[in-house]
Each structure stands twice: as C-alpha cells, then as structure tokens.
Amino acid sequence: DYESLTLVYLRKPRGADAISGGCLGAARKVEKKLRRKSYGGRSYSDNCIPVDWADVGRDRLCAPNGAVTAVPFYYEPDGTPRDAARSTNYLAATGEGLKYFDVDFGLFNQRSAIVISDFHFYVTDRSRYKEWLVDNVLPDQLEAPGRQPPSAGPCRLLWINDDVNEAELGQ
C-alpha cells in the first residue's frame, strides 16, 4: 500500500519569499525530526520506500527518492547552510525547482511563496503506520513541548495526507 505525505510551508505574510524567509530552516527541522525520531516504537524507516523491495520489515534501508525535498540543496548533511543564492540559481536554471516551489518560480523569478516537500511510503501495516503518523508524529510537531510549533515562526506548515487530514477534521 503506497501513501504519501506532502508538507507545504507557506511564508507569512502571504506572498513573501519562502526561500529566503526562513521556511527552508523550518523544513530542515521538521523533516530531520520526521526521519530520525522514533515515535511509539515506530520510525520513518519502518514505513519508507525501501531500497530493496525484499526488505519491507522494520528498520529498512530507505530509498533516497522516497523523499522529494529542497532541503539537501540548501543544507549540508551536517546541517551547515550552503550558499542559498547559488542553490536557488541552480534550481531555477535546471527547472528542478518546480518540484519544490510555486508555479511562478524560474530563472527570472527566483522567489516562491511556498516550499513543498513530498514523502512517499510503502506501508505494510496500515494501523501501525497510521498510529505512527497521526497519533505520534503529528501531535509531536504541533504540540512540541517547551518550544513553538513550526507554524509559529515565519511559515505556516500544512500537512496533506488522508489520515492526517481526517484526524484534523475529527473523522
């Protein structure tokens, strides 16, 4: 069973540049936590798209194409920021940025009001996946004890996923 989670970071105030306005930093924090933290005994590696399709158990090796995010273009693996103008120019010149930014982003308009990240999952245990994502990851991100949730900063974070959205609506 395939699932996806789309995270959309919208720059506040509306129309401001999300690329230079702190949304990429927020994305890095949220996505790092999503991939590395264990919630309720389950983790990202229990649900990710596997490198080897024979490996569909817990703690599988995750395929890099299971996460489509601009964060690696702007941050080194250790978290050190890369040259943002250079990364933005590369993404605009190659057209690669269309995956991550709004429809107006391009070589002559290197700004975007949004940053988009997509995560794809191969779910082998639907109830455990839903428990991991809806009951553990989402509340931890929204109610982060002792710190502000991601949407309290310069960006508003929207989660697009059937299970998450149904839980938000109380269905």
Side-chain angles (χ1 to χ4, degrees):
D1 196 18
Y2 293 97
E3 283 289 331
S4 66
L5 168 66
T6 300
L7 301 175
V8 181
Y9 305 85
L10 292 99
R11 179 67 170 99
K12 298 186 291 189
R14 196 176 77 166
D17 186 25
I19 298 169
S20 64
C23 290
L24 286 163
R28 186 182 77 76
K29 289 177 187 172
V30 168
E31 294 169 19
K32 179 180 174 184
K33 194 171 182 184
L34 173 72
R35 289 192 212 188
R36 294 201 176 139
K37 187 172 179 185
S38 179
Y39 296 91
R42 304 291 291 175
S43 68
Y44 176 79
S45 64
D46 295 336
N47 299 296
C48 66
I49 299 288
V51 169
D52 178 2
W53 286 100
D55 179 19
V56 292
R58 297 187 61 162
D59 292 324
R60 56 186 91 152
L61 183 60
C62 301
N65 61 347
V68 181
T69 172
V71 170
F73 291 99
Y74 291 90
Y75 292 91
E76 297 289 345
D78 69 358
T80 305
R82 295 181 183 202
D83 181 336
R86 188 179 209 177
S87 295
T88 302
N89 191 55
Y90 169 80
L91 291 170
T94 61
E96 189 81 8
L98 295 174
K99 294 180 199 175
Y100 316 111
F101 306 124
D102 65 35
V103 69
D104 294 327
F105 178 81
L107 196 53
F108 300 109
N109 180 35
Q110 295 186 9
R111 296 172 43 87
S112 177
I114 62 173
V115 174
I116 302 168
S117 297
D118 284 313
F119 292 87
H120 305 280
F121 303 103
Y122 181 67
V123 178
T124 55
D125 186 330
R126 181 119 191 97
S127 63
R128 285 186 170 255
Y129 163 77
K130 189 173 179 179
E131 178 185 327
W132 168 73
L133 184 62
V134 176
D135 298 340
N136 294 294
V137 174
L138 182 64
D140 183 60
Q141 291 290 341
L142 298 180
E143 303 162 7
R147 58 187 158 73
Q148 294 182 331
S151 291
C155 301
R156 170 89 169 94
L157 174 57
L158 304 176
W159 297 65
I160 302 172
N161 170 277
D162 289 342
D163 292 324
V164 169
N165 299 136
E166 286 173 8
E168 288 176 328
L169 295 172
Q171 297 179 347

